[in-house]
Amino acid sequence: MSRGIKYCVLAGIFIVILFVLNLAIGSVKIPIGDVINILSGKHCGNDAWRFIIINSRLPQAITATLAGSALAVSGLLLQSAFRNLLAGPDIFGINSGAGLAVAVIMLLLGGTVTAGSYSISGFLAILSGAFIGAMVVTGIIFFFSTIVHSTVMLLIIGIMIGYLSSSVISLLNFFASDKGVKSYLVWGMGNFGNVSLHDLPIFVAVTIIGLFLSILLIKPLNAILLGEQYAENLGISTHKVRNWLLIVTGILTAATTAFCGPIAFIGLATPHIARLILTTTNHRQLLPATLLTGSIIALFCNIICCLPGDNGIIPLNAVTPLIGAPVIIYVIAKKR
């Protein structure tokens, strides 16, 4: 059995353990035995516990599992295709684009979007705005990829788009009301609990489609690692691969950011963790390992966020840098 398969099996076991712990830990402590009984359909004798798990914690745990995978795979695809260790959804400005769209809706439009006789407000407006904002930035990067063939220059363009978005968001915050600023700050902290049981099928469907498309890119990515000229000789169009990669990354990041807010460091750091564990660049092993590692990190961070219990929930973006930042610093120091 290869090292990659062993790691994937071990990671799968960790995911199951962390998933159950996500259902048991919170402001209301529920025994793991009762959690398992509720999941298996048995009567646990406490209807309140059943409601908490089925309607709140189960959607949150599923969201964390898939969102972690989506962000991690997005980071791996970008780092491999652009051959840059610091490439990631947040570095390319995709998160910033989603954040700008949400800022416009919350701070400028008062949380309501009206188009003719149609009007949407609340969470649906934020969800739609974040998805559109992320996809617009992805479209801009896609457009520049047809003009700029240097991967380094394309990365710089993404960083500049992020700066522009942050600047506009700062201006909107300055002129907005206190209530609007507070609402936007809460969204910007990130939270896996924003996906309700009703919205879960949409999030699951979009994320799984994006992850499936990423698996189809394994072969061309392995070829690109050996050099763009080598890949072209094999009949692989590196330009088309990069464009498809941006589309897949845009879908995964847009869906995750729209539902969960802009989550930092998971997409950037997780691929490095998988590389350090497997010591390989072969995407046949690296992509599944990165996918599973992303789920582990997201579930673990969600548990940490819920540990205070009655004292509240720690913001997700206050926890993810504690794991991600040391990894990036180590990688940079190791590469000198």
Side-chain angles (χ1 to χ4, degrees):
M1 186 180 293
S2 67
R3 185 173 185 176
I5 295 176
K6 289 180 180 178
Y7 174 74
C8 288
V9 171
L10 187 62
I13 295 172
F14 269 112
I15 288 173
V16 172
I17 294 172
L18 290 172
F19 192 93
V20 174
L21 289 176
N22 269 265
L23 300 180
I25 296 175
S27 57
V28 177
K29 298 293 189 293
I30 302 176
I32 293 179
D34 289 310
V35 170
I36 295 174
N37 287 335
I38 292 171
L39 292 178
S40 60
K42 297 178 182 179
H43 184 65
C44 71
N46 193 320
D47 292 334
W49 287 358
R50 179 181 296 276
F51 180 84
I52 291 171
I53 289 177
I54 300 299
N55 290 276
S56 178
R57 294 185 184 177
L58 183 60
Q60 187 173 2
I62 294 174
T63 301
T65 303
L66 291 176
S69 296
L71 292 173
V73 168
S74 297
L76 175 64
L77 295 179
L78 291 173
Q79 290 170 14
S80 299
F82 293 96
R83 304 171 91 177
N84 192 309
L85 296 177
L86 297 181
D90 41 357
I91 301 298
F92 267 94
I94 300 175
N95 285 351
S96 298
L100 175 58
V102 172
V104 170
I105 292 172
M106 283 188 176
L107 305 178
L108 189 63
L109 303 179
T112 303
V113 180
T114 303
S117 59
Y118 297 96
S119 178
I120 57 174
S121 60
F123 179 70
L124 183 59
I126 295 171
L127 183 65
S128 304
F131 190 86
I132 292 171
M135 291 306 296
V136 165
V137 172
T138 302
I140 293 173
I141 298 293
F142 181 88
F143 169 75
F144 277 109
S145 71
T146 62
I147 302 173
V148 179
H149 297 287
S150 169
T151 56
V152 176
M153 290 299 103
L154 199 59
L155 186 64
I156 293 174
I157 290 172
I159 294 172
M160 292 303 104
I161 291 174
Y163 277 124
L164 287 172
S165 300
S166 298
S167 178
V168 176
I169 291 171
S170 297
L171 290 173
L172 291 173
N173 273 309
F174 181 80
F175 291 105
S177 64
D178 293 341
K179 183 179 179 181
V181 172
K182 182 179 179 180
S183 299
Y184 181 76
L185 287 175
V186 170
W187 177 83
M189 291 176 181
N191 186 5
F192 291 131
N194 289 333
V195 183
S196 65
L197 195 62
H198 177 266
D199 298 323
L200 188 62
I202 300 174
F203 176 74
V204 171
V206 174
T207 306
I208 288 179
I209 290 172
L211 292 174
F212 175 75
L213 292 174
S214 69
I215 293 173
L216 299 180
L217 293 171
I218 288 177
K219 184 177 179 180
L221 281 174
N222 276 340
I224 290 175
L225 283 179
L226 299 174
E228 292 190 5
Q229 187 175 358
Y230 178 83
E232 295 284 352
N233 290 336
L234 292 177
I236 296 173
S237 173
T238 55
H239 190 64
K240 288 183 179 179
V241 170
R242 188 168 63 177
N243 290 342
W244 269 108
L245 179 144
L246 287 173
I247 293 172
V248 173
T249 302
I251 292 172
L252 290 172
T253 308
T256 303
T257 307
F259 280 96
C260 308
I263 300 172
F265 277 103
I266 291 181
L268 185 61
T270 306
H272 295 297
I273 296 174
R275 288 191 191 98
L276 291 171
I277 293 173
L278 296 184
T279 63
T280 182
T281 56
N282 185 352
H283 285 80
R284 293 185 186 277
Q285 299 180 41
L286 191 58
L287 193 143
T290 301
L291 188 152
L292 295 174
T293 305
S295 296
I296 290 173
I297 292 175
L299 288 169
F300 179 69
C301 289
N302 197 51
I303 289 175
I304 295 176
C305 291
C306 296
L307 284 179
D310 295 334
N311 295 325
I313 298 175
I314 300 173
L316 185 60
N317 280 331
V319 176
T320 52
L322 297 177
I323 297 174
V327 173
I328 300 302
I329 293 172
Y330 172 77
V331 170
I332 293 174
K334 186 177 179 181
K335 295 291 181 181
R336 289 178 173 84

